[in-house]
């Protein structure tokens, strides 16, 4: 699968804390250093220089070599450690955790040469100032669930909430969990200043039932983090199907970031189907940025984001497979935040579960914008496209298309609410042939007050002769302006209050009237529209019509 973000031109917006070096690699500039700047020098605690050399340790001054892996990073650390020279086994036979425990030291870059590195217990390091772990064609091999010693949760635990690290680099590792009953969190990181994680690929389904492969949090509001090309395409098994059955709910999360206080970007990541959300980054006030990437078939939601000023930009979300245990496979879910934007997303669903909305704006989302986004939903089940929950705040949908080809459902559902913040849809296109199963047979179901639709196009032909409506309004103060509405039943059906439809083109392809006004409709106004078939008035009060063309 090729990531859509690599095929379509994104807006080129990288997190401002990370700049390109001109060779396609991002380099952090957040600490004010240059690539050749002097770093402070420290001596490894408890080790004399000779002893350090004997363990494979060297200062950056002695680590300069044209062939040295990750040489461009060496000047950022006082010490550079070749873990194999220091005694770590790279044949996958003996656990390397005891060696890492012996080597633990701050201001150190740990280099893993080519090979396989077996780990049967976690390595923990907290409160550090500056450490890095880099792999040069290195593969981490976790023990399976039965052989893992101690807490069966993580390989690397780097920082904790109450004692985070300051700066951390973790880069260039494969994680081989293809053996049965294998799967563990490869890295858990709590960092205050700067986090850089790149090129981590997890192979094999996470089928041990323990925590998912990645957790990342920035603990300081001024801190920044980048997780780039973190890939776990094989997903995870439901916990009931693992040796940890009965000990957890659902199973692993793909990537978790629910205590983030700073700015944390996930760039070109790839997650397969996990039972308890794919990317889950919705529980805190920090800014989350999702740039590109591929997210597929997770239960719960494939991308679940909250926080202040968070952005979901150019991802591809695909749901084309559902397991018997899956209950809801939403594409994108935004919540617990304000000023959240979805831009340039593609959500493609062909295996919808009953509540697998393409995009959900939840009650706890105070303000949202969905722009330049494409939603495609196909299949034999009922499903909805974009759903605005009753208590969500002001929401704008712009330059967006929804293709809806299901047994029934609403491409856009604005749910009933007591809130009065405006809902705006402009330059929105809704198309496709769907059925009327369960009674969901409207292109736009507008149940909320103060909604405005401008320059939209809604076509609802109906599957196998189904009667579909383009817009059904049950709220107050709706405006429809310069729009085209086509439907096999009614292009516009009103049971609400004080609605205005003007400068629009409405036509029923099934021979019905262009407008149907129910008896409960109050003060509807129709101005300067083309109304093919005219108006069906079932007793509405206060109807105003002006300069409409009736055909």
């Amino acid at each position: 699968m090729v990531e859509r973000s690599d095929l379509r031109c994104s807006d080129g917006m990288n997190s401002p804390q990370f700049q390109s070096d001109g060779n396609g690699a991002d380099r952090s500039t957040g600490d004010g250093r240059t690539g050749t700047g002097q770093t402070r020098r420290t001596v490894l605690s408890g080790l004399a220089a000779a002893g350090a050399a004997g363990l494979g340790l060297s200062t950056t001054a002695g680590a300069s070599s044209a062939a040295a892996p990750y040489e461009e990073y060496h000047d950022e650390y006082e010490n550079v450690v070749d873990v194999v020279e220091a005694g770590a086994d790279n044949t996958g036979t003996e656990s390397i955790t005891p060696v890492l425990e012996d080597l633990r030291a701050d201001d150190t870059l740990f280099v893993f040469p080519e090979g396989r590195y077996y780990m049967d217990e976690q390595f923990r390091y907290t409160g550090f100032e500056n450490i890095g772990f880099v792999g040069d064609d290195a593969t981490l091999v976790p023990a399976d669930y039965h052989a893992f010693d101690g807490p069966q949760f993580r390989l690397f635990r780097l920082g904790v909430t109450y004692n985070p690290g300051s700066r951390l680099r973790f880069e260039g590792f494969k994680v081989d969990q293809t053996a049965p009953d294998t799967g563990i969190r490869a890295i858990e990181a709590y960092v205050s200043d700067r986090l850089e994680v790149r090129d981590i690929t997890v192979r094999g389904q996470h089928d041990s039932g323990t925590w998912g492969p990645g957790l990342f949090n920035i603990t300081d509001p001024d801190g920044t983090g980048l997780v780039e090309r973190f890939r776990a395409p094989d997903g995870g098994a439901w916990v009931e199907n693992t040796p940890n059955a009965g000990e957890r709910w659902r199973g692993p999360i793909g990537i978790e970031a629910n205590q983030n206080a700073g700015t944390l970007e996930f760039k070109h990541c790839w997650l397969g189907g996990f039972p308890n959300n794919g990317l889950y980054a919705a529980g805190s006030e920090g800014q989350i940025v999702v740039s590109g990437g591929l997210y597929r078939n997770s239960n719960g939601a494939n991308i679940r984001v909250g926080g202040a000023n968070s952005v979901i930009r150019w991802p591809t979300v695909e749901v084309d497979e559902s397991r018997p245990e899956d209950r809801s496979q939403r594409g994108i879910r935004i919540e617990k935040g304000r000023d959240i934007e979805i831009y340039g997303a593609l959500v493609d669903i062909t295996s919808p579960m009953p509540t697998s909305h393409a995009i959900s704006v939840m009650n706890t989302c105070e303000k949202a914008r969905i722009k330049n986004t494409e939603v495609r939903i196909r299949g034999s089940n009922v499903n909805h496209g974009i759903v605005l929950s009753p208590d969500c705040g002001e929401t704008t949908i712009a330059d967006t298309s929804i293709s809806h080809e299901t047994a029934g459902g609403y491409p856009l559902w604005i749910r009933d609410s007591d809130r009065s913040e405006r809902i705006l849809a402009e330059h929105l296109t809704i198309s496709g042939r769907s059925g009327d199963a369960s009674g969901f047979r409207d292109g736009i179901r507008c149940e909320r007050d103060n909604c405005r639709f401008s320059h939209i196009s809604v076509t609802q032909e109906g599957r196998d002769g189904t009667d579909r409506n383009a817009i059904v309004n049950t709220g107050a103060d709706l405006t429809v302006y310069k729009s085209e509405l086509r439907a096999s039943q009614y292009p516009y059906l009103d049971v609400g209050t004080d609605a205005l439809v003007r400068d629009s083109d409405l036509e029923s392809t099934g021979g019905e009237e262009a407008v149907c006004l129910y008896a409960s409709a109050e003060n509807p106004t129709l101005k300067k529209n083309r109304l093919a078939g005219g108006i069906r008035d079932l007793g509405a009060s206060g109807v105003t019509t002006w300069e409409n063309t009736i055909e």
Side-chain angles (χ1 to χ4, degrees):
M1 179 60 62
V2 177
E3 295 183 15
R4 172 174 171 265
S5 56
D6 294 330
L7 297 176
R8 287 182 61 174
C9 177
S10 73
D11 51 9
M13 297 179 68
N14 294 326
S15 176
Q17 295 79 18
F18 298 91
Q19 305 296 329
S20 173
D21 64 1
N23 296 314
D26 290 331
R27 296 290 178 259
S28 172
T29 58
D31 64 353
R33 303 187 187 194
T34 66
T36 59
Q38 268 315 96
T39 61
R40 65 180 177 84
R41 301 299 183 181
T42 62
V43 179
L44 284 175
S45 176
L47 291 175
L55 288 174
L57 302 176
S58 64
T59 65
T60 54
S64 177
S65 169
Y70 294 100
E71 182 181 6
E72 68 271 28
Y73 295 155
H74 289 185
D75 283 348
E76 298 184 32
Y77 302 89
E78 175 66 21
N79 308 288
V80 176
V81 179
D82 182 314
V83 297
V84 174
E85 291 181 6
D89 173 61
N90 67 341
T91 68
T93 304
E94 298 182 3
S95 177
I96 67 167
T97 307
V99 177
L100 296 180
E101 294 286 352
D102 290 341
L103 294 174
R104 183 191 287 109
D106 210 342
D107 211 356
T108 300
L109 179 68
F110 297 92
V111 179
F112 290 66
E114 180 179 356
R116 293 171 64 81
Y117 297 86
Y118 178 67
M119 297 183 71
D120 61 1
E121 58 182 321
Q122 79 170 6
F123 172 74
R124 171 173 167 158
Y125 192 9
T126 64
F128 53 84
E129 287 295 322
N130 182 31
I131 60 170
F133 300 84
V134 292
D136 184 23
D137 197 18
T139 298
L140 304 175
V141 184
D144 67 26
Y145 178 84
H146 311 283
F148 206 88
D149 188 22
Q152 296 164 307
F153 302 139
R154 319 166 188 87
L155 294 184
F156 289 86
R157 189 181 193 187
L158 304 173
V160 292
T161 54
Y162 54 87
N163 193 20
S166 179
R167 287 170 290 172
L168 170 64
R169 169 177 281 116
F170 196 92
E171 181 170 338
F173 292 97
K174 301 180 183 67
V175 182
D176 182 358
Q177 57 178 37
T178 56
D181 297 341
T182 301
I184 201 159
R185 180 162 291 164
I187 174 174
E188 177 171 309
Y190 288 86
V191 174
S192 61
D193 182 11
R194 187 186 74 197
L195 171 72
E196 296 179 68
V197 176
R198 292 187 182 88
D199 297 311
I200 308 299
T201 300
V202 180
R203 293 297 182 190
Q205 187 186 48
H206 189 296
D207 61 359
S208 68
T210 62
W211 292 344
L215 180 148
F216 309 98
N217 287 298
I218 307 301
T219 61
D220 191 289
D222 294 326
T224 61
L226 173 67
V227 179
E228 183 174 16
R229 295 184 297 275
F230 188 102
R231 293 169 174 171
D234 299 318
W238 278 76
V239 70
E240 289 87 351
N241 304 320
T242 74
N244 203 29
E247 298 300 320
R248 301 194 63 229
W249 184 59
R250 290 185 176 179
I253 297 168
I255 298 175
E256 186 173 355
N258 279 333
Q259 294 176 282
N260 175 60
T263 297
L264 180 55
E265 179 177 7
F266 296 94
K267 185 175 181 181
H268 300 317
C269 295
W270 180 359
L271 296 177
F274 284 87
N276 192 10
N277 297 284
L279 172 60
Y280 190 4
S284 52
E285 287 293 314
Q287 182 188 36
I288 298 294
V289 178
V290 179
S291 297
L294 177 61
Y295 301 84
R296 305 183 69 239
N297 295 328
S298 284
N299 186 72
N302 286 273
I303 298 176
R304 186 171 175 178
V305 165
N309 302 299
S310 294
V311 181
I312 301 169
R313 182 186 297 120
W314 296 106
T316 295
V317 178
E318 294 180 352
V319 179
D320 60 5
E321 182 178 286
S322 299
R323 296 171 290 190
E325 299 88 353
D326 291 330
R327 294 293 177 266
S328 172
Q329 293 174 290
R330 300 191 186 195
I332 299 174
R333 171 173 168 164
I334 54 177
E335 60 186 296
K336 296 180 182 178
R338 58 191 181 278
D339 295 310
I340 300 176
E341 181 177 66
I342 300 171
Y343 186 93
L346 169 62
V347 182
D348 192 352
I349 298 177
T350 57
S351 181
M353 301 302 294
T355 59
S356 297
H357 316 326
I359 298 175
S360 293
V361 181
M362 304 302 291
N363 289 324
T364 53
C365 184
E366 284 300 315
K367 188 175 182 181
R369 182 175 179 85
I370 302 167
K371 186 174 181 180
N372 199 26
T373 288
E374 183 177 2
V375 171
R376 307 172 188 161
I377 308 177
R378 303 177 298 285
S380 58
N381 295 319
V382 174
N383 201 14
H384 308 295
I386 299 175
V387 179
L388 308 188
S389 297
D391 289 329
C392 74
E394 177 183 336
T395 302
T396 298
I397 304 169
D399 301 305
T400 288
S401 66
I402 304 172
S403 175
H404 191 261
E405 302 265 355
T406 71
Y410 305 138
L412 174 58
W413 187 4
I414 306 170
R415 299 187 61 185
D416 190 16
S417 175
D418 292 332
R419 298 190 66 159
S420 59
E421 293 93 335
R422 188 181 70 172
I423 305 297
L424 170 64
E426 55 185 1
H427 300 285
L428 169 67
T429 299
I430 295 176
S431 62
R433 293 177 178 269
S434 298
D436 65 351
S438 303
F440 300 114
R441 56 192 183 98
D442 309 324
I444 298 178
R445 181 78 178 184
C446 180
E447 302 174 348
R448 177 165 166 163
D449 298 347
N450 194 25
C451 294
R452 178 179 174 87
F453 305 143
S454 175
H455 297 82
I456 70 170
S457 173
V458 183
T459 302
Q460 293 290 283
E461 294 293 347
R463 177 184 293 184
D464 300 325
T466 294
D467 290 333
R468 299 275 300 182
N469 305 304
I471 297 178
V472 171
N473 174 54
T474 68
D477 300 310
L478 167 69
T479 297
V480 179
Y481 177 67
K482 285 195 174 181
S483 297
E484 296 184 359
L485 309 180
R486 303 282 185 273
S488 56
Q489 186 165 262
Y490 297 115
Y492 177 72
L493 190 154
D494 192 10
V495 295
T497 304
D498 297 319
L500 168 64
V501 180
R502 59 167 298 171
D503 298 293
S504 296
D505 191 297
L506 289 72
E507 182 173 357
S508 170
T509 59
E512 303 290 348
E513 292 86 353
V515 174
C516 180
L517 305 176
Y518 272 66
S520 57
E522 298 179 4
N523 306 317
T525 300
L526 304 164
K527 292 185 177 182
K528 301 179 72 173
N529 304 291
R530 173 182 173 267
L531 305 177
I535 301 170
R536 184 179 184 185
D537 188 347
L538 300 177
S541 60
V543 179
T544 298
T545 61
W546 183 60
E547 291 190 11
N548 297 294
T549 300
I550 307 295
E551 298 180 358

